[in-house]
Amino acid sequence: MGLVPPRFFFALNLKSSKSCCMKKDKNPIASLRRQAEANQKKRTSNENSFDSEADCLKLIHELEVHLFELELQNQELVQATTDARLMTAKYRNLYDFAATGYFTLSKDGKISDMNFCGANMLGKERSYYKNKFLIVFVSNETKTIFNHFLENISDSNSNENCDNVFSSDDNAQLYVHLTEIKIKDNGHFLITAVDISKLKLSEDELKKTLTKLECSNKELGQFAYVASHDLQEPLRMVTSYTQLLADRYKDKLDDDAREFIAYAVDGAKRMEILINDLLKFSRLSTRQNPHSLTNCNKILDQVKTTLSLMIEEKNALITGDILPSVMGDEMQLLQLMQNLISNGIKYNDSKQPSVHVSVKDENNEWVFKVKDNGIGIDKEFYERIFVMFQRLHTMREYKGSGIGLAIYKRIVECHGGRIWVVSEKGKGSEFYFSIAK
Ligand code: ADP
């Protein structure tokens, strides 16, 4: 009765309840047959018995009803079997032809089944691997990881996974990501294997490139440091002797000579500024101070003190919200703030240049804003101004070396943040930088 659908079960019970003699019988068909045989015997001993004939007809009718029900049940069973076969075939096809490797393993890791992709990963026909331990085809270096993976499969409730290396007979190696699928099949379990060799290769390439880049960056930083540091001394000589020449022989020189000497001194001074800035830039990568909790309100106060002369000269107004304390290199953060504020005053032609510093708490970082009412920047130069030696103005218009923002971009990046500008020509600028919390 296990396979009989509920409505037939109900129908059979209903039929059984009509016949008192079948009430307690578990098998109504057998009971009906027994009843029919008894009636038939009775009928042969007493041909004219009206009762036994009526009983017999009733029983035949009930048998016909049961037969009909059984035929229906049978049809449903045939349909269910066909459906089940179809599902099995579909599952089998999906398993066999999946682009992912499938391995069905016994508890001790023996291969009881695998699909074509899985066999392909190992290198031979499927039949070759049947009943062999999968660990045999795992590279020596990753056998421990694989064993750990197998142990955890039986224990944990989560889907275990690990990176591993399959090693075929011809020593070809394949990086795979193994994942357990929680389908238990007669004590066997299923794992999938995805080929991640390309990913691993590009990951390795990336690591190599990164190491190379780090090395060359370090070398470049050291080179810039040595070059700018060693250039300072001869440059100082050029500047001071040209200056001396101009002072000592000013009466003997004509106007042209004096003008030329002035150009030479000016050029040497500009070069000094450039070299100093270059030195600062290279120090960023060669000398990193440990980060500590830094109070940004104090930094703002310090900047105001340092820039007091400039503020007074330009009648500037520097204001700020209450700022947080952040983890960072105090000296570098001071230089960053000072540069952004002094640029806000420098690149400003208004009667009263104003710079306001505010901050926004953005979950895992602080985003600072330094807003000025200066000359502004065209959108097309948003990126360019952060590149070394890139200036938007001549020295006559505004003095500078064009290295400040490149340095401060580097500083912000060393603090796990970003720096960017939002501005419009003639409408002031907003410099933003973020510091990781
Ligand atoms: P420098 O000021 O020495 O030229 P920076 O790297 O600090 O170097 O700035 C690069 C360029 O970006 C400047 O030459 C200037 O054209 C532009 N700039 C920087 N800050 C501002 C500002 N607040 N408003 C307008 N332009 C600015």
Side-chain angles (χ1 to χ4, degrees):
M1 292 290 279
L3 287 168
V4 179
R7 71 190 164 86
F8 289 109
F9 187 72
F10 172 73
L12 282 175
N13 274 343
L14 204 70
K15 295 282 167 230
S16 314
S17 66
K18 280 182 191 166
S19 170
C20 61
C21 55
M22 288 188 291
K23 254 180 199 167
K24 287 172 198 158
D25 214 317
K26 280 183 185 155
N27 184 345
I29 309 287
S31 169
L32 282 168
R33 192 187 301 125
R34 275 199 303 279
Q35 179 97 25
E37 279 167 5
N39 277 358
Q40 187 60 27
K41 263 187 203 159
K42 223 168 145 191
R43 215 175 148 216
T44 0
S45 60
N46 182 8
E47 279 290 315
N48 299 324
S49 163
F50 182 76
D51 272 359
S52 65
E53 181 133 352
D55 280 353
C56 212
L57 283 172
K58 201 174 148 198
L59 276 169
I60 287 170
H61 173 73
E62 285 195 20
L63 268 172
E64 276 170 357
V65 170
H66 281 300
L67 191 69
F68 178 71
E69 284 175 346
L70 278 172
E71 269 168 9
L72 281 181
Q73 278 183 46
N74 200 31
Q75 269 175 26
E76 294 220 347
L77 276 172
V78 168
Q79 187 59 45
T81 315
T82 316
D83 287 351
R85 276 204 193 112
L86 207 70
M87 291 302 287
T88 313
K90 270 188 191 165
Y91 168 76
R92 193 67 234 179
N93 275 343
L94 281 174
Y95 183 96
D96 279 347
F97 299 105
T100 303
Y102 282 149
F103 295 89
T104 309
L105 304 179
S106 60
K107 262 186 185 157
D108 53 358
K110 225 183 243 178
I111 302 170
S112 67
D113 199 0
M114 71 201 293
N115 69 350
F116 290 115
C117 179
N120 224 14
M121 284 175 164
L122 297 181
K124 286 200 166 77
E125 288 282 311
R126 287 202 282 190
S127 52
Y128 174 82
Y129 298 104
K130 208 146 186 175
N131 290 326
K132 290 196 169 96
F133 287 99
L134 182 56
I135 196 161
V136 175
F137 308 101
V138 167
S139 79
N140 287 337
E141 299 78 44
T142 55
K143 276 195 196 318
T144 320
I145 300 173
F146 184 79
N147 268 330
H148 195 66
F149 169 69
L150 279 191
E151 277 162 25
N152 283 352
I153 278 184
S154 357
D155 298 343
S156 77
N157 287 328
S158 58
N159 281 38
E160 285 299 314
N161 65 82
C162 71
D163 283 352
N164 225 271
V165 180
F166 281 167
S167 177
S168 57
D169 287 350
D170 56 1
N171 275 336
Q173 300 222 315
L174 192 83
Y175 289 92
V176 282
H177 183 74
L178 303 179
T179 312
E180 165 208 5
I181 294 186
K182 285 249 174 271
I183 302 176
K184 286 247 164 69
D185 169 11
N186 277 339
H188 290 76
F189 51 85
L190 190 67
I191 63 168
T192 62
V194 177
D195 181 355
I196 53 164
S197 299
K198 276 190 188 151
L199 205 75
K200 275 275 170 203
L201 277 179
S202 46
E203 213 176 270
D204 289 349
E205 283 297 313
L206 209 70
K207 269 187 201 156
K208 274 184 208 157
T209 319
L210 215 68
T211 318
K212 269 191 208 163
L213 216 67
E214 272 168 8
C215 280
S216 73
N217 242 357
K218 219 172 175 175
E219 276 168 15
L220 265 173
Q222 269 158 359
F223 168 76
Y225 177 75
V226 171
S228 46
H229 186 262
D230 293 356
L231 273 176
Q232 272 186 327
E233 193 42 40
L235 188 68
R236 238 175 257 140
M237 280 179 71
V238 173
T239 322
S240 49
Y241 279 99
T242 329
Q243 196 82 59
L244 201 67
L245 203 68
D247 291 346
R248 202 170 281 181
Y249 297 96
K250 63 174 178 250
D251 301 333
K252 292 180 189 158
L253 296 172
D254 63 10
D255 284 351
D256 271 359
R258 273 199 291 274
E259 195 185 335
F260 296 158
I261 288 178
Y263 282 140
V265 172
D266 189 49
K269 276 186 184 157
R270 267 179 23 218
M271 202 166 186
E272 200 180 333
I273 295 173
L274 283 178
I275 287 176
N276 273 331
D277 283 348
L278 205 61
L279 200 62
K280 264 195 233 162
F281 188 76
S282 67
R283 273 184 186 144
L284 284 177
S285 49
T286 48
R287 295 180 190 178
Q288 288 277 344
N289 295 324
H291 289 187
S292 59
L293 199 64
T294 307
N295 185 335
C296 295
N297 297 302
K298 269 193 191 163
I299 287 191
L300 185 60
D301 287 343
Q302 244 171 297
V303 171
K304 279 188 208 168
T305 313
T306 316
L307 298 179
S308 55
L309 206 71
M310 187 188 199
I311 292 173
E312 207 176 312
E313 266 175 21
K314 297 262 288 186
N315 184 33
L317 186 69
I318 312 297
T319 50
D321 289 352
I322 294 174
L323 304 176
S325 291
V326 299
M327 284 302 286
D329 178 330
E330 193 172 340
M331 200 57 213
Q332 289 185 346
L333 291 177
L334 183 84
Q335 288 173 345
L336 164 70
M337 201 76 99
Q338 187 168 310
N339 189 267
L340 292 179
I341 293 175
S342 68
N343 272 357
I345 304 172
K346 181 164 70 169
Y347 297 103
N348 204 317
D349 296 337
S350 27
K351 275 191 189 139
Q352 181 168 49
S354 74
V355 181
H356 182 76
V357 183
S358 57
V359 72
K360 217 170 163 191
D361 185 348
E362 298 266 2
N363 299 326
N364 49 357
E365 59 181 14
W366 294 106
V367 176
F368 288 80
K369 178 163 86 173
V370 181
K371 180 181 162 75
D372 65 52
N373 61 343
I375 57 170
I377 301 162
D378 255 348
K379 203 172 179 176
E380 59 175 310
F381 303 122
Y382 280 7
E383 302 280 327
R384 206 172 112 184
I385 56 169
F386 294 100
V387 178
M388 220 191 290
F389 301 128
Q390 294 292 329
R391 308 200 69 230
L392 307 181
H393 308 95
T394 61
M395 283 292 276
R396 272 198 200 166
E397 291 172 303
Y398 301 97
K399 287 205 168 18
S401 62
I403 208 173
L405 289 177
I407 292 182
Y408 301 108
K409 182 171 188 264
R410 189 86 170 253
I411 287 183
V412 170
E413 283 166 1
C414 287
H415 284 77
R418 299 158 288 131
I419 186 166
W420 69 100
V421 66
V422 176
S423 178
E424 208 179 307
K425 208 167 167 70
K427 293 196 173 163
S429 310
E430 290 175 353
F431 279 86
Y432 293 87
F433 66 91
S434 64
I435 302 281
K437 277 187 186 170

